[in-house]
């Protein structure tokens, strides 16, 4: 098993930065290897473990696909990429990417991807993270149907927001 530390978190975030478009260069000018990842815009680190526990990049006009590198943020409690322009090239890529991204996030409590351009179906991988307390996928392009038992693996779920989509 690979040892993970703050360097792993830094690498994951730099890979994320390199795979998205940041039209205002906020991340380009702030997320650099010469400064501590815990001082980067939108990044919060835990005091005890000194690992990335929250990523909040809301309303930054970022665009592109969400790369799986974020999955290496294994201490992440909150992921907020809302009000950006993240999308998927195709449904198969979206499902695989989200699965690869979320599979290691066993501590994730808050997932906010509202107001993006996400594809036509909610990936079932989201409903396999038992630590999730809040999921917000509202105001996207989601359609299709949700299974009756989709939340059976989410014992801590307190909020599920799927409004302004075309779900049945």
């Amino acid at each position: 098993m690979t040892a993970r530390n703050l360097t792993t978190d830094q690498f994951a975030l730099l890979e994320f930065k390199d795979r998205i478009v940041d039209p205002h260069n906020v991340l380009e000018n702030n997320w650099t290897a010469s400064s501590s990842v815990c001082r980067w815009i939108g990044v919060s680190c835990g005091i005890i473990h000194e690992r990335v526990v929250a990523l909040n990049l809301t309303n930054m006009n970022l665009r592109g696909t969400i790369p799986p590198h974020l999955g290496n943020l294994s201490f992440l409690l909150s992921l907020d990429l809302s009000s950006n322009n993240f999308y998927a090239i195709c449904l198969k890529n979206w499902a695989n990417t989200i699965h690869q991204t979320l599979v290691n996030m066993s501590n994730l409590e808050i997932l906010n991807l509202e107001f993006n351009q996400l594809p036509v179906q909610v990936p079932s991988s989201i409903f396999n993270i038992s630590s999730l307390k809040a999921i917000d996928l509202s105001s996207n392009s989601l359609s299709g149907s949700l299974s009756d038992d989709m939340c059976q693996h989410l014992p801590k779920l307190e909020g599920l927001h799927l409004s302004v989509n075309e779900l049945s």
Side-chain angles (χ1 to χ4, degrees):
M1 186 172 177
T2 305
R4 295 177 185 227
N5 55 31
L6 193 57
T7 303
T8 305
D9 293 353
Q10 180 181 10
F11 178 77
L13 291 171
L14 288 173
E15 289 294 314
F16 170 76
K17 178 185 84 165
D18 289 344
R19 285 169 171 70
I20 60 169
V21 176
D22 175 12
H24 304 295
N25 291 322
V26 175
L27 303 183
E28 184 65 32
N29 296 328
N30 182 265
W31 286 21
T32 63
S34 63
S35 64
S36 169
V37 66
C38 297
R39 296 186 187 271
W40 291 357
I41 289 174
V43 176
S44 299
C45 293
I47 296 170
I48 297 171
H49 298 291
E50 294 184 350
R51 298 287 304 274
V52 174
V53 295
L55 182 59
N56 183 346
L57 300 176
T58 188
N59 202 24
M60 293 182 69
N61 201 26
L62 303 174
R63 58 182 190 267
T65 59
I66 299 170
H69 300 89
L70 291 182
N72 291 326
L73 302 175
S74 55
F75 278 72
L76 200 65
L77 300 173
S78 176
L79 177 60
D80 188 345
L81 300 177
S82 61
S83 300
N84 283 291
N85 293 299
F86 288 106
Y87 57 87
I89 296 169
C90 73
L91 182 59
K92 182 178 180 185
N93 286 352
W94 162 248
N96 289 338
T97 299
I98 284 297
H99 176 73
Q100 291 173 16
T101 302
L102 300 177
V103 72
N104 293 326
M105 293 184 177
S106 59
N107 297 313
L108 192 65
E109 295 178 356
I110 299 167
L111 176 63
N112 189 347
L113 300 176
E114 73 174 323
F115 289 107
N116 277 284
Q117 299 173 31
L118 301 179
V120 295
Q121 197 171 2
V122 179
S124 61
S125 300
I126 289 174
F127 300 107
N128 291 328
I129 305 171
S130 62
S131 58
L132 276 172
K133 294 180 180 178
I135 302 170
D136 193 340
L137 299 174
S138 59
S139 300
N140 279 286
S141 301
L142 303 173
S143 64
S145 61
L146 300 172
S147 66
D148 292 336
D149 64 347
M150 68 180 182
C151 295
Q152 71 181 3
H153 302 293
L154 299 171
K156 298 179 182 178
L157 190 66
E158 297 171 5
L160 175 63
H161 303 278
L162 300 170
S163 62
V164 193
N165 282 296
E166 297 179 25
L167 296 167
S168 56

